Amino acid sequence: LMRLFYGIPIKDNEILKKLRKELKKCVEGRFVIPENYHITLRFIGEVESPNQYIRELNKVEFRRFNLKFKKLGAFPSIENPRVIWLGCEGEFFWFKSIIPEEFVPHLTLVRVKKIIDKNYLKDLFNKSFEFSQEVEEVVLYKSTLTPNGSIY
């Protein structure tokens, strides 16, 4: 079985480097390595064959557009963060055929194990980390879970 999802690759940059450094001052956890940065459009799950998903993705047409990143968010909530992410906006309507209705566009940064400094983290949630990045492609990712995190 293969574990698949649709995603948009995101390139590392100075703002993300700074944000990682800031987060490391106030949380312990499993940080996503920059090579693995992506926005998940839809998690598909475990499947026998990728063929139908490759066909589905090939039907998606979109023009290049800019994603605008801005504020931190968290799942399940900012008061109780298990996953900290950077939210973004963009022309996601291009992908309406493949994204779920409850889609929340975000770049996962860290899976939190422990909060070291709650006040510092609270301040980060109130700051803006603005940058734009062009969407050039949508990818069908294969994800392999390991004790050290996912390999794509």
Side-chain angles (χ1 to χ4, degrees), residues 90-101:
E91 298 173 15
F92 288 102
F93 62 81
W94 293 108
F95 312 116
K96 64 180 182 295
S97 66
I98 61 168
I99 57 176
E101 262 179 55

Side-chain angles (χ1 to χ4, degrees), residues 98-138:
I98 61 168
I99 57 176
E101 262 179 55
E102 68 283 359
F103 176 64
V104 177
H106 66 280
L107 169 63
T108 297
L109 298 170
V110 59
R111 285 168 182 78
V112 179
K113 289 200 169 91
K114 184 179 166 195
I115 297 169
I116 306 163
D117 186 335
K118 209 175 175 94
N119 290 330
Y120 197 86
L121 180 59
K122 196 176 163 192
D123 288 345
L124 287 182
F125 279 121
N126 291 319
K127 282 187 179 152
S128 188
F129 299 92
E130 277 185 62
F131 69 93
S132 288
Q133 200 166 106
E134 190 176 45
V135 174
E136 297 166 11
E137 62 179 344
V138 178

Side-chain angles (χ1 to χ4, degrees), residues 4-45:
L4 303 177
F5 66 91
Y6 295 125
I8 297 171
I10 301 297
K11 294 177 198 87
D12 199 14
N13 62 37
E14 289 311 308
I15 291 168
L16 288 171
K17 285 182 178 117
K18 178 181 178 255
L19 185 49
R20 255 194 322 278
K21 220 162 96 180
E22 293 292 303
L23 283 167
K24 285 180 178 180
K25 293 176 186 173
C26 56
V27 300
E28 285 176 10
R30 195 161 57 214
F31 282 79
V32 176
I33 58 170
E35 301 82 72
N36 282 353
Y37 281 164
H38 67 274
I39 303 218
T40 299
L41 293 173
R42 183 174 108 215
F43 180 72
I44 296 163

Side-chain angles (χ1 to χ4, degrees), residues 67-101:
L67 287 176
K68 290 172 186 57
F69 291 85
K70 208 170 190 172
K71 300 280 272 184
L72 286 177
F75 296 131
S77 68
I78 288 172
E79 294 73 35
N80 178 30
R82 304 279 23 104
V83 173
I84 296 174
W85 45 264
L86 186 61
C88 65
E89 296 172 354
E91 298 173 15
F92 288 102
F93 62 81
W94 293 108
F95 312 116
K96 64 180 182 295
S97 66
I98 61 168
I99 57 176
E101 262 179 55

Side-chain angles (χ1 to χ4, degrees), residues 57-75:
L57 190 55
N58 285 335
K59 287 182 200 158
V60 173
E61 289 181 26
F62 74 95
R63 282 201 298 269
R64 288 179 173 203
F65 65 90
N66 278 320
L67 287 176
K68 290 172 186 57
F69 291 85
K70 208 170 190 172
K71 300 280 272 184
L72 286 177
F75 296 131

